């Protein structure tokens, strides 16, 4: 697992979630801090190349010391993470580090900005979410868990919510949701949101058909989830209904499957996934469906290769 740290309050929460999952799965946790040059404009006044190198050397040393203190102050489990400090651009180094180390899951915080401020968030969290080859767990700014809460409350996931739109994207995410729910012996809810339709079908009929489709999504044999699977259908704007349902039912994890990369997909990402990620009261696991041209990581619709379940989770 990879957890980028910038020493903010939300990165404390992200670290605690990553630490909890790493302890539960006995996984290796890599904690990454990045010294970004643009945050230190005084470097432009260095008198020589030697002075500039010394300036950055001191920044890296300070970063290593702060990261060591951060981990010492917030680690109370058996897991001892690997500490990495690098200099460069945060999104690039997060993505390259994840790829180089074959990271299964990235855990990071979002800062909850909107409008123009979203561009600042987009430079790191947003870009990582859109382009990472591995699933990303985003800790939203409204995460209900306070920093001082018991770490065990994170580990004991009781409810997992899957946002199902019957696309290939949510089908891929379903395997992750099932695996996590089975691993934690948690309740799994499949939620579909119907938008107001103008095709003449009544909401009652559409809801009935949606419930039937939700019931058919689960594999025939999910023994460890027997009696712990629920289905629900809401009507309205998807992101609003997803957030409202999460507020009412208090899931510990929301799972969303997205396709991402194209212009239209980015627009959809911004209107639904991004808003859920910012406004949800619990962590959001974002899973990208794999396109057909990525080696043996075939689309789930082809039935040629199963999705890669992170952290050695239960493979169904």
């Amino acid at each position: 697992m990879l957890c980028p740290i910038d020493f903010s309050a939300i990165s404390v929460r992200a670290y605690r979630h990553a630490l909890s999952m790493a302890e539960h799965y006995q996984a290796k946790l890599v904690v990454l801090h990045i010294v970004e040059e643009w945050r230190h404009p005084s470097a432009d006044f260095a008198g020589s190349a030697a002075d500039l190198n010394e300036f950055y050397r001191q920044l890296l040393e300070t970063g290593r010391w702060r990261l060591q203190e951060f981990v010492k102050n917030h680690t109370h489990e058996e897991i001892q993470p690997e500490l990495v400090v690098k200099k460069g651009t945060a999104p690039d180094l997060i993505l390259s580090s994840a790829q180089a180390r074959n990271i299964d899951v990235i855990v990071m915080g979002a800062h909850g900005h909107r409008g123009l401020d979203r561009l600042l968030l987009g430079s790191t969290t947003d870009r990582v979410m859109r382009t990472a080859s591995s699933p990303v767990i985003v800790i939203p700014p409204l995460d209900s868990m306070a920093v001082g809460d018991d770490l065990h409350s994170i580990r004991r996931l009781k409810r997992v919510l899957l946002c199902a739109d019957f696309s290939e994207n949510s089908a891929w995410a379903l395997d992750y949701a099932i695996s996590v729910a089975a691993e934690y012996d948690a309740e799994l809810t499949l939620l579909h949101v119907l938008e107001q339709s103008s095709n003449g079908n009544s909401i009652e009929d559409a809801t009935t058909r949606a419930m039937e489709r939700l019931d058919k999504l689960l594999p025939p044999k999910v023994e460890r989830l027997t009696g712990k699977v629920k289905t629900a259908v809401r009507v309205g704007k998807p992101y609003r209904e997803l957030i409202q349902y999460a507020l009412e039912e208090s899931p510990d994890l929301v799972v969303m499957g997205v396709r991402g990369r194209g212009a239209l997909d980015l627009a959809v990402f911004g209107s639904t996934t991004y808003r859920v990620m910012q406004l949800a009261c619990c962590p959001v696991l974002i899973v990208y469906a794999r396109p057909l041209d990525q080696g043996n990581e075939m689309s789930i619709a082809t039935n040629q290769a199963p999705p890669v379940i992170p952290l050695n989770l239960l493979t169904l």
Side-chain angles (χ1 to χ4, degrees), residues 48-239:
S48 64
D51 292 338
L52 183 62
N53 290 335
E54 175 62 19
F55 177 78
Y56 283 127
R57 187 193 68 78
Q58 293 180 6
L59 284 179
L60 288 171
E61 283 297 317
T62 300
R64 292 188 187 95
W65 177 82
R66 293 187 66 189
L67 191 59
Q68 290 171 355
E69 290 298 304
F70 178 94
V71 169
K72 182 172 69 174
N73 292 334
H74 299 291
T75 303
H76 306 288
E77 299 296 314
E78 297 179 358
I79 296 295
Q80 292 299 318
E82 177 183 350
L83 310 186
V84 179
V85 177
K86 294 184 177 183
K87 178 176 70 72
T89 304
D92 293 335
L93 287 177
I94 293 172
L95 293 167
S96 63
S97 297
Q99 184 174 14
R101 293 172 176 267
N102 294 319
I103 293 296
D104 295 305
V105 179
I106 301 172
V107 183
M108 61 191 308
H111 290 278
H113 300 303
R114 302 181 186 175
L116 181 60
D117 286 341
R118 176 181 167 182
L119 297 177
L120 300 178
L121 173 66
S123 66
T124 304
T125 308
D126 192 54
R127 183 179 167 193
V128 170
M129 287 189 301
R130 293 177 189 271
T131 58
S133 59
S134 57
V136 180
I137 296 180
V138 178
I139 310 302
L142 299 181
D143 183 7
S144 59
M145 187 205 76
V147 173
D149 284 350
D150 182 8
L151 185 62
H152 291 274
S153 65
I154 311 171
R155 186 180 306 121
R156 293 194 295 268
L157 299 183
K158 297 179 180 179
R159 299 181 184 88
V160 176
L161 173 62
L162 172 74
C163 306
D165 62 3
F166 306 125
S167 68
E168 176 184 337
N169 312 326
S170 63
W172 192 279
L174 175 61
D175 282 344
Y176 285 84
I178 292 174
S179 294
V180 173
E183 177 67 29
Y184 284 92
D185 194 25
E187 178 183 88
L188 173 62
T189 300
L190 311 184
L191 173 65
H192 178 70
V193 179
L194 289 169
E195 295 193 72
Q196 295 288 351
S197 175
S198 60
N199 59 11
N201 294 329
S202 68
I203 292 298
E204 291 77 10
D205 290 341
T207 299
T208 299
R209 286 194 297 272
M211 290 292 288
E212 292 173 350
R213 294 184 69 183
L214 286 174
D215 290 335
K216 294 178 181 178
L217 284 181
L218 289 171
K221 295 183 179 180
V222 191
E223 293 88 351
R224 292 180 64 185
L225 291 181
T226 301
K228 291 195 173 186
V229 179
K230 296 168 51 179
T231 56
V233 175
R234 291 289 183 94
V235 180
K237 199 71 174 176
Y239 82 89

